[in-house]
Amino acid sequence: MTHQGLKSSLAELRELFEDCSSIGIAGLLGTYDDCLAWLPHLRQRGHTSVTILWLGNSIANMGGHGQASAFLGRFGAICKEADLACQFIVATDTCSDDDKIAKAYDGGSPEYRDFMLNAPEAANRVLGHKAFQVKDWEPDKWMDQNERTLHICMVAQHDVVVELPSAEGTGIRVAMAKGQRVQLATTGKWRADAVAEFCRRAGFLLERQWTDQAGDCGKCIDSTSSFIQVIPIDPSFIGPFGMLDLLTPIASYILTRARGLMIS
């Protein structure tokens, strides 16, 4: 039997699987836009509220506070139109120890280096030729202290020329100087007050907040009517594998299309 639990209450699921000897669990594939389109159907089925559990540190990996506010705001607007009370339980990485963060994203680790340099390899597969030579690049990172956002990038080891496609089909040769960066991902290490602020700007209220003893990890609850909850995450648990927000100033077309290849 195959069943999508998103459409059922706990009581319905218990009744449905009462005589089953085993239950298999599988993930559902969908985009954030798919979820936005799905939410109004809850109200049509008689539900009056929804709680969205969002663990990991994804809310802080969107690029900045403004992007996080815009994301939450879209959910709040859809739920308001559907007359559906909306609540988030959100996890965030609130680590303020830069030495600890540096160790978690250690560019000297072979596993970390190989993972990050999947980006040029994936771009090459999309292009169908060796536009990016892996030996020309090394992973790097820098911290925006103002927004407490860590930027993951790859750095050219010498002057290189990258051939990219163009709308005209003729191709573009992009010259990059030694030391120039190509951004691959961002991951926020936001303070609790910053979390409360981006929730407020999205039309949500922060009601409750929890952190670990070190203050590295937190969670909170927020809703359009009463509260938001944030859960901080220890970066030593996450490493680089929670961040695949590919934003590249020189080859966004290629690397964005390559995102699925990187994940697979």
Side-chain angles (χ1 to χ4, degrees), residues 36 71-81 84 86 88 202 204 224:
L36 287 168
F71 176 84
L72 284 180
R74 291 177 65 199
F75 276 82
I78 288 291
C79 288
K80 184 176 181 180
E81 290 177 12
L84 191 67
C86 179
F88 270 87
F204 286 76
T224 49

Side-chain angles (χ1 to χ4, degrees), residues 8 64 102 200:
S8 302
R200 184 195 65 78

Side-chain angles (χ1 to χ4, degrees), residues 128-238:
H129 71 277
K130 284 274 186 181
F132 294 90
Q133 302 293 329
V134 174
K135 63 181 176 60
D136 295 338
W137 306 91
E138 282 296 325
D140 198 6
K141 59 185 178 295
W142 64 278
M143 174 67 81
D144 178 348
Q145 292 291 352
N146 184 44
E147 286 228 348
R148 289 297 300 167
T149 296
L150 186 70
H151 294 259
I152 313 298
C153 55
M154 59 184 191
V155 180
Q157 297 303 289
H158 51 82
D159 294 351
V160 296
V161 175
V162 180
E163 294 189 8
L164 305 178
S166 68
E168 295 77 18
T170 55
I172 301 173
R173 292 172 59 85
V174 179
M176 301 194 66
K178 179 181 178 180
Q180 192 164 351
R181 295 166 170 167
V182 176
Q183 182 165 299
L184 299 178
T186 60
T187 176
K189 315 297 175 186
W190 296 348
R191 296 183 299 269
D193 58 343
V195 173
E197 175 60 19
F198 82 69
C199 292
R200 184 195 65 78
R201 289 167 57 187
F204 286 76
L205 299 176
L206 177 64
E207 161 123 345
R208 219 174 297 168
Q209 202 165 23
W210 297 264
T211 63
D212 66 347
Q213 291 183 350
D216 290 337
C217 311
K219 67 181 175 183
C220 72
I221 302 178
D222 77 320
S223 80
T224 49
S225 56
S226 58
F227 55 89
I228 182 167
Q229 172 174 347
V230 177
I231 307 173
I233 302 300
D234 189 327
S236 62
F237 297 155
I238 300 175

